[in-house]
Amino acid sequence: MYMKAVLLKSLGERPSITDVEEPIERDGWIKLRILRSALCYRDILTYKGMFPQAKTPLILGHEFTGIVSGDYPEYGFSNGDQVLTLPYTYCGECEYCLTGRENLCRRREWYGEHIHGSHTEYILVKPQSIVKLDINIDPNYASIASCVIGMIINGIDNAGGVEEGDKVLVTGASGGVGIHALQIAKAYGAETIAVTRSEEKAKFIEEASPDHIIVGGEFAKEVKKLGGVDMVIESVGEPTFNQSLRSLKWGGRMVVIGNVNVKNVDLQLGLIILRQNSIYGTLSSTRKTLYKAIKLYRLGKLRAIGMEMKLTDFDKAVEKMESGESRGRIFLKP
Ligand SMILES: [Zn+2]
Ligand SMILES: [Zn+2]
C-alpha cells in the first residue's frame, strides 16, 4: 500500500509530495493514521539544512494528532483511540528524562528529523510519545498541543511563570506561536500586548483578544508608555530582539522561542546587568506541559487559530509561511 508524503530526498533540497510505502507495524512502535499535521517553521529550517543531523530520505513534520491503527494491549492503546503526541522519542533513563525534562534528553529523536515525521497519512510512533485523549479535542488544537502550546507553557514555566496582572508582550503576534502565546498569557490572567508589522495583521490578531496591539518595528517606546512589561515572549528572534529587551521593566524576563533568520543578536550587557533582566531559552514541550495544554483546553481558555490546507498543498503552505501571508498555524489535512 502506498500513501502520500512530504518527502525530503536530501538536505538543502525542496521536499515534494511523493508516493511512499505505508509503514509496516513493528515491535515497540504504534501505527497512527494522521488526522492533522501542522506546519512548523522548523520544517523549513530542516529542509534548508540548518539541522545537519537530519537523516534523509525523510518525511517531514512533527506537530500532529492521529488515530491508533490496530490493537496494542501491552501499551494500553486500542484501534480508534485518538492521541496527542510529543514531537520526539526519548530514552527514559538519563538525568533529564528522570527529572521530567525529557525535552533535553541527549538520546532524543525528533519525528521529521531523525525519524519519519507526520506530513503523510500513516506514521509509526513510540508509545512514550503519545497520550490518549478522554475528551474530544479539535484536531487542529490537538496537533499543536505539544510543539506550540506545550512549548510556550514550558518557556513561561522556565522563566518563573506569569502571575495574574503581569504584563506580557508577544512579538510576531499573528504567527502560529504568537497568536497562541497571547491566548496562553491571557489564560494565566496577564494583561497582553501584541506586536505586529501591519494593520492588516493587527486585525487578525484581534481573534486572540489582546489588551493592546502595537503596529511597527520600533515598539519599545510605546510599550514604555504602558509601563514596560514583566515578560516578553519573543517569537521572531533577531529582528525584534533588541526592541523586546528594551520593552522589559527592571527585573523583567524574556522567553526566546523564534529564530526566523538564524542571525546573531547584538546584546548590550548593561540592559541585563544593571536592570537585572533575564533571557530564557525554551526547547519544545514535555509530557507535563502537554498535560497543561489539555487542561487549559478543557477549561475553555484556548483554541487553535490558523488556516486549514490540504497536505498535497504543502508547497503553497510553505510559500504562505515564508512570505508572511499565513495567519496563525497552518494545519495540513491528509
Ligand atoms: Zn514545531
Ligand atoms: Zn533521556
Side-chain angles (χ1 to χ4, degrees):
M1 290 283 276
Y2 284 87
M3 61 179 189
K4 299 261 179 244
V6 174
L7 190 74
L8 176 65
K9 293 195 180 91
S10 61
L11 293 184
E13 261 180 36
R14 190 96 182 212
S16 58
I17 299 286
T18 310
D19 285 320
V20 300
E21 274 192 64
E22 218 179 278
I24 298 163
E25 283 166 56
R26 52 172 209 269
D27 273 359
W29 296 79
I30 289 177
K31 188 172 171 180
L32 300 183
R33 178 169 63 80
I34 306 280
L35 278 181
R36 209 71 93 238
S37 184
L39 180 65
C40 180
Y41 202 73
R42 194 179 171 106
D43 301 341
I44 297 175
L45 294 178
T46 302
Y47 80 67
K48 287 189 173 167
M50 297 295 180
F51 304 106
Q53 69 274 17
K55 289 185 186 130
T56 54
L58 176 75
I59 300 173
L60 293 173
H62 60 267
E63 300 180 0
F64 58 109
T65 182
I67 302 283
V68 171
S69 169
D71 284 308
Y72 304 87
E74 65 276 39
Y75 302 119
F77 294 101
S78 323
N79 194 38
D81 288 344
Q82 191 192 340
V83 295
L84 296 177
T85 56
L86 283 178
Y88 54 81
T89 69
Y90 52 95
C91 80
E93 292 162 358
C94 70
E95 65 168 296
Y96 298 114
C97 288
L98 292 175
T99 51
R101 296 176 295 162
E102 57 273 14
N103 58 323
L104 303 181
C105 174
R106 306 309 303 132
R107 282 187 273 169
R108 193 194 52 200
E109 291 196 303
W110 283 84
Y111 297 104
E113 189 175 314
H114 305 97
I115 48 181
H116 283 319
S118 57
H119 293 333
T120 182
E121 296 170 60
Y122 289 92
I123 186 172
L124 292 182
V125 293
K126 287 270 190 187
Q128 49 162 226
S129 304
I130 60 178
V131 176
K132 188 156 51 176
L133 284 171
D134 55 358
I135 53 164
N136 278 332
I137 286 191
D138 160 35
N140 291 346
Y141 185 86
S143 69
I144 57 166
S146 177
C147 183
V148 177
I149 307 287
M151 173 188 65
I152 297 163
I153 293 172
N154 190 28
I156 291 174
D157 283 0
N158 278 337
V162 168
E163 281 177 28
E164 209 160 341
D166 278 357
K167 287 197 176 106
V168 175
L169 177 115
V170 176
T171 59
S174 68
V177 171
I179 200 81
H180 296 100
L182 282 172
Q183 291 185 69
I184 294 166
K186 200 154 188 107
Y188 286 150
E191 181 178 337
T192 53
I193 302 160
V195 169
T196 189
R197 278 179 310 178
S198 74
E199 293 291 347
E200 189 261 322
K201 285 182 174 176
K203 253 206 165 67
F204 169 77
I205 291 165
E206 281 167 15
E207 285 210 34
S209 317
D211 296 291
H212 315 271
I213 303 180
I214 300 172
V215 179
E218 302 284 314
F219 52 86
K221 254 195 198 142
E222 288 299 310
V223 178
K224 285 282 167 184
K225 283 185 203 156
L226 298 168
V229 294
D230 300 279
M231 183 182 281
V232 173
I233 299 176
E234 178 51 79
S235 86
V236 178
E238 183 268 335
T240 46
F241 184 87
N242 266 294
Q243 286 288 309
S244 288
L245 197 54
R246 288 172 189 282
S247 300
L248 289 173
K249 280 182 187 169
W250 290 42
R253 297 155 288 151
M254 189 197 309
V255 179
V256 184
I257 294 179
N259 191 13
V260 289
N261 57 6
V262 198
K263 272 192 188 162
N264 289 353
V265 296
D266 206 6
L267 177 61
Q268 204 178 318
L269 286 178
L271 291 175
I272 301 292
I273 302 165
L274 299 176
R275 299 183 183 182
Q276 201 179 300
N277 288 330
S278 310
I279 300 171
Y280 294 84
T282 181
L283 178 68
S284 194
S285 58
T286 59
R287 289 178 80 87
K288 185 175 166 187
T289 59
L290 184 55
Y291 176 76
K292 289 188 179 182
I294 302 170
K295 202 160 125 190
L296 287 174
Y297 184 86
R298 269 204 184 101
L299 293 170
K301 304 222 176 201
L302 298 181
R303 66 189 173 92
I305 301 180
M307 46 217 297
E308 285 181 2
M309 293 180 75
K310 283 189 286 193
L311 175 72
T312 45
D313 284 334
F314 179 80
D315 265 352
K316 272 188 216 157
V318 168
E319 271 163 36
K320 272 190 192 297
M321 190 177 247
E322 287 213 292
S323 64
E325 243 182 85
S326 59
R327 298 287 174 267
R329 217 23 150 207
I330 296 178
F331 304 102
L332 299 172
K333 286 170 104 168

